[in-house]
Amino acid sequence: MSQRTYVVGPQDPNNHTHTIIFLHGRDSECQEFASEIFESEASTPAEQPRTLLDCLPNVRWVFPSAPLLSSARFGAMMPQWFDMWSVEYLEDQAGLQKEGLQMSVGAILESRVRYVATALAAFFSGGQDLAGLIGLCSWMPLSGVANSLIASKQEETALFNALQDANLGQLPVKRIDPVAIKSTAVFLGHAADDKLVPIRNGKRMRDILHDLNLAVDFRECQDGGHWINEPDGVDDIVGFVTKICRD
């Protein structure tokens, strides 16, 4: 994994009270992603700056860089947390996801910063210290494996251990108790007109998490494409972060 990490905030003169770690998407990079996300604005306060930096002034924002990995489909190296064949049809060559997923999660956890993303894999391995998880325009890797495990009607601890094993393989990471995972708040935002990751895949992830008895706040916006709707989507993020920081 690249050692480059882009860090922003907190806004002067505010004290640092919380940290948010955002992982960029495929074929992007940390500073580019940060600059784009901080251009998006909430609806309030009117006539004042209202980006995420302005609305959450006590937050330190950490943007790590994905490693350069070979893309099996495109035959080229690109920044990505793990390889995949299609974000439209998730079962197509799903086995491609495993190696990079495990490598990225291992590197993230070893960094001693509780990164939560890599499409939920890190969440299932390190969720005990997390206040919340945000997924934007997202989907769940190895979702077919997750559905099969849920359908097997295993006892809860065995089910969550099996899910962690599927995501982490032989990584020497302590498996986390289901109670700790289920106590972590989850927000998922998706636009109905997302042409890159169809909203049905975001809803599929929501349904899997619901089947695992996680409390998921899923917000659908009618427009926004493969990005955050303005201002509603930004309002949703601010409201979610404010609530879990207050709780």
Side-chain angles (χ1 to χ4, degrees), residues 85-106:
W85 191 260
S86 170
V87 291
E88 184 175 6
Y89 303 105
L90 301 182
E91 303 310 317
D92 287 0
Q93 302 195 40
L96 289 173
Q97 301 165 18
K98 287 187 177 182
E99 182 178 358
L101 195 61
Q102 293 168 11
M103 181 188 71
S104 291
V105 172

Side-chain angles (χ1 to χ4, degrees), residues 31-234:
Q31 192 165 352
E32 175 187 20
F33 176 62
S35 65
E36 291 173 349
I37 208 165
F38 291 141
E39 290 175 358
S40 302
E41 290 189 324
S43 60
T44 57
E47 308 303 325
Q48 295 184 44
R50 50 188 183 273
T51 67
L52 289 171
L53 284 172
D54 301 308
C55 295
L56 301 168
N58 297 99
V59 168
R60 174 169 294 152
W61 301 82
V62 179
F63 298 87
S65 293
L68 283 173
L69 299 178
S70 176
S71 167
R73 183 169 186 175
F74 299 110
M77 302 294 289
M78 64 173 59
Q80 55 180 349
W81 300 102
F82 54 92
D83 197 16
M84 67 203 75
W85 191 260
S86 170
V87 291
E88 184 175 6
Y89 303 105
L90 301 182
E91 303 310 317
D92 287 0
Q93 302 195 40
L96 289 173
Q97 301 165 18
K98 287 187 177 182
E99 182 178 358
L101 195 61
Q102 293 168 11
M103 181 188 71
S104 291
V105 172
I108 286 168
L109 295 177
E110 287 172 8
S111 72
R112 297 175 180 264
V113 179
R114 297 297 184 180
Y115 293 173
V116 115
T118 313
L120 298 185
F123 175 59
F124 280 118
S125 63
Q128 78 276 25
D129 293 333
L130 299 167
L133 171 71
I134 295 173
L136 304 175
C137 315
S138 30
W139 57 281
M140 189 168 190
L142 306 178
S143 52
V145 173
N147 277 326
S148 295
L149 288 169
I150 292 168
S152 68
K153 304 296 184 182
Q154 299 182 54
E155 180 270 333
E156 184 177 73
T157 299
L159 171 59
F160 275 80
N161 284 341
L163 282 167
Q164 293 177 80
D165 289 343
N167 280 289
L168 298 173
Q170 300 302 312
L171 281 177
V173 176
K174 179 183 176 183
R175 279 24 179 184
I176 306 305
D177 185 87
V179 174
I181 295 175
K182 293 194 300 181
S183 66
T184 305
V186 179
F187 170 81
L188 302 176
H190 215 125
D193 64 347
D194 187 340
K195 298 189 185 313
L196 183 62
V197 178
I199 193 171
R200 69 172 183 273
N201 290 342
K203 290 179 177 179
R204 184 179 184 182
M205 178 167 66
R206 174 203 63 191
D207 294 344
I208 289 172
L209 295 178
H210 278 162
D211 288 343
L212 293 168
N213 295 316
L214 274 72
V216 180
D217 182 0
F218 183 88
R219 299 296 179 91
E220 175 180 345
C221 295
Q222 291 307 303
D223 56 77
H226 190 62
W227 193 241
I228 308 167
N229 173 279
E230 291 186 71
D232 293 346
V234 184

